[in-house]
Amino acid sequence: MSKDTITYGSFDPEQDKNILDIANAVKREAKKDGAFFAKKNRPTLNEQSLMPYVGRYKSSFEELLAKELGRIKPVMQEATFTRFKEEKVKREIELDAATEKNEHLNDVDRRTLDGKPKPTIRKRNPFLLVLLGIMYLGEWFYNSMSFAFFGGNMFGAYLIGATITLIEAALAYATGKNLAKIEEGIEKPYLQTALYVAANLGIVIAMSVLRSNILDNSSIETPAWVFFLVNIAFLVGAIVLSRLLIPSQKQQNFDCATSELHKRIEEREAEMKQLKSEKEKLAAQFTDEEKKYLHVLAVAKATEERIDAHYREAIEIFKTENLATRGDLGTPVCFFESTTSLTISKSNLS
């Protein structure tokens, strides 16, 4: 490289070489032109403008600048960045609005909750479950034994006993559930409850008579009413235990409403977390786009300054060579004028 080479940092080796080749070619022309016009003592000492002599250098460098900035595309990058910025601002407004709405709704639901904790899943009382299980196992066994006296396969007796016991259990549970509704005044299914009890009583009476008849055929004499009372006690116990196993309907409704409020708050908090994450991603993308945009601007600015500096140096070379070789030893007035800057149309930069 020559000593008069101007460098403003290298962004692209190919660009550096292209600029330098064209700039050196123009500078060589400027040196030749300076000597050529000096022989004719031109520009004259009173000439006011140097542009008739160096105008073509300006055109060459403006053409070079337009070409290089056309590769960099600062205007296109600026438009892309501006559009991204506008979209970012618009999306941030939407995200902030959604977040604000969720926060407001959560505040309303929290005031409704008034500090009530999220209900835990209510577990059945294990003691009641064990007691009820023992009762039904005993009933199943005695029901099965009643049918075993008729002879036949014991498996069949156990199966019939299990079926009857399950029917009794289902009727007792349904009765207990209806009693809970009646107690709390939510519903009043009196007829349905009466039908459940009547059906269960029918089974109790039938099984009591069956057991009494079986014992009548043996040496043991036990009246049917004894079995009836025992079965009634079992039935009442089954209904009471079933009722105790059923949580309060009001409590269920309260827990359901409280759980729903907590669920809505948690869902909104999860959504706000996503909104915050999206906003952070937008900010990161904006930072990347801004860096890219500023880099392009920096490259474009440096390229413009480098080419402008080469242009000014070419003019100085023309002046130096002209002054050194002209015969009148004078300095034209136009040599003192300010050098005009390079200008190009923005349409050439996109």
Side-chain angles (χ1 to χ4, degrees):
M1 294 184 182
S2 62
K3 292 182 179 180
D4 58 359
T5 298
I6 297 173
T7 58
Y8 274 74
S10 177
F11 295 95
D12 182 351
E14 183 180 350
Q15 183 195 59
D16 291 344
K17 184 177 183 303
N18 184 53
I19 292 174
L20 190 60
D21 289 345
I22 294 176
N24 286 339
V26 174
K27 290 173 188 177
R28 287 193 293 270
E29 289 296 319
K31 188 172 183 178
K32 291 178 182 178
D33 288 346
F36 174 78
F37 286 112
K39 294 177 182 178
K40 301 179 181 181
N41 288 327
R42 294 179 60 191
T44 62
L45 297 180
N46 295 323
E47 267 188 78
Q48 301 296 314
S49 177
L50 189 60
M51 288 309 296
Y53 304 95
V54 299
R56 63 193 186 100
Y57 312 150
K58 187 172 186 290
S59 298
S60 296
F61 282 111
E62 283 177 345
E63 183 180 349
L64 174 61
L65 178 59
K67 184 178 179 182
E68 294 303 324
L69 292 183
R71 293 180 184 176
I72 301 169
K73 300 185 183 301
V75 173
M76 180 182 290
Q77 187 62 36
E78 181 181 10
T80 301
F81 176 71
T82 301
R83 184 169 57 253
F84 179 84
K85 186 177 181 180
E86 291 172 352
E87 291 174 353
K88 170 183 174 286
V89 172
K90 181 181 177 182
R91 183 55 183 161
E92 282 179 335
I93 292 173
E94 293 173 352
L95 294 174
D96 289 339
T99 300
E100 185 177 351
K101 179 181 177 181
N102 284 333
E103 287 176 345
H104 171 70
L105 292 175
N106 275 359
D107 287 340
V108 173
D109 285 346
R110 287 192 181 99
R111 283 195 295 271
T112 303
L113 283 171
D114 193 24
K116 299 181 187 73
K118 186 176 183 180
T120 55
I121 298 175
R122 296 179 179 274
K123 297 181 179 179
R124 304 288 188 183
N125 189 317
F127 175 75
L128 293 179
L129 285 173
V130 171
L131 184 59
L132 194 60
I134 292 173
M135 289 179 61
Y136 280 121
L137 281 174
E139 180 68 7
W140 170 58
F141 176 74
Y142 282 112
N143 286 340
S144 301
M145 290 301 100
S146 297
F147 291 102
F149 277 105
F150 290 105
N153 191 341
M154 279 300 297
F155 176 77
Y158 283 128
L159 184 61
I160 296 172
T163 302
I164 293 175
T165 303
L166 287 174
I167 293 173
E168 290 177 321
L171 290 171
Y173 183 82
T175 303
K177 191 171 183 180
N178 278 0
L179 288 175
K181 293 178 180 179
I182 294 171
E183 288 173 18
E184 297 172 7
I186 298 171
E187 296 179 31
K188 297 182 179 180
Y190 294 119
L191 179 60
Q192 190 181 65
T193 305
L195 290 175
Y196 289 156
V197 173
N200 231 334
L201 281 174
I203 295 174
V204 167
I205 293 170
M207 293 306 299
S208 299
V209 172
L210 178 63
R211 289 171 184 170
S212 179
N213 290 337
I214 290 171
L215 290 179
D216 283 346
N217 296 326
S218 66
S219 58
I220 302 173
E221 294 184 4
T222 304
W225 63 267
V226 174
F227 289 106
F228 178 74
L229 290 178
V230 172
N231 281 8
I232 285 294
F234 169 81
L235 174 61
V236 171
I239 292 174
V240 171
L241 290 177
S242 296
R243 168 66 187 89
L244 294 174
L245 281 171
I246 299 170
S248 163
Q249 189 66 36
K250 287 183 179 178
Q251 185 64 46
Q252 287 184 43
N253 293 340
F254 172 80
D255 289 349
C256 182
T258 305
S259 295
E260 183 63 26
L261 287 174
H262 278 284
K263 181 182 177 182
R264 289 205 301 249
I265 290 173
E266 290 170 358
E267 288 175 347
R268 292 193 197 104
E269 286 178 344
E271 183 180 350
M272 285 190 289
K273 190 175 181 181
Q274 291 180 345
L275 294 173
K276 182 181 178 182
S277 176
E278 184 178 348
K279 194 172 180 180
E280 289 173 350
K281 287 180 181 177
L282 271 178
Q285 289 176 359
F286 178 78
T287 300
D288 292 340
E289 290 294 326
E290 187 177 38
K291 286 180 180 178
K292 189 189 300 181
Y293 170 59
L294 293 176
H295 174 72
V296 169
L297 287 186
V299 173
K301 183 64 176 176
T303 300
E304 185 178 354
E305 289 177 349
R306 290 165 62 197
I307 294 175
D308 187 72
H310 283 301
Y311 159 61
R312 294 175 185 276
E313 186 181 21
I315 292 177
E316 292 303 317
I317 290 174
F318 175 88
K319 292 178 181 179
T320 301
E321 190 65 23
N322 186 272
L323 290 173
T325 56
R326 65 187 294 131
D328 58 9
L329 302 180
T331 302
V333 175
C334 60
F335 278 22
F336 297 102
E337 71 175 342
S338 299
T339 303
T340 57
S341 299
L342 298 175
T343 57
I344 56 173
S345 171
K346 277 196 171 184
S347 61
N348 296 326
L349 306 183
S350 55

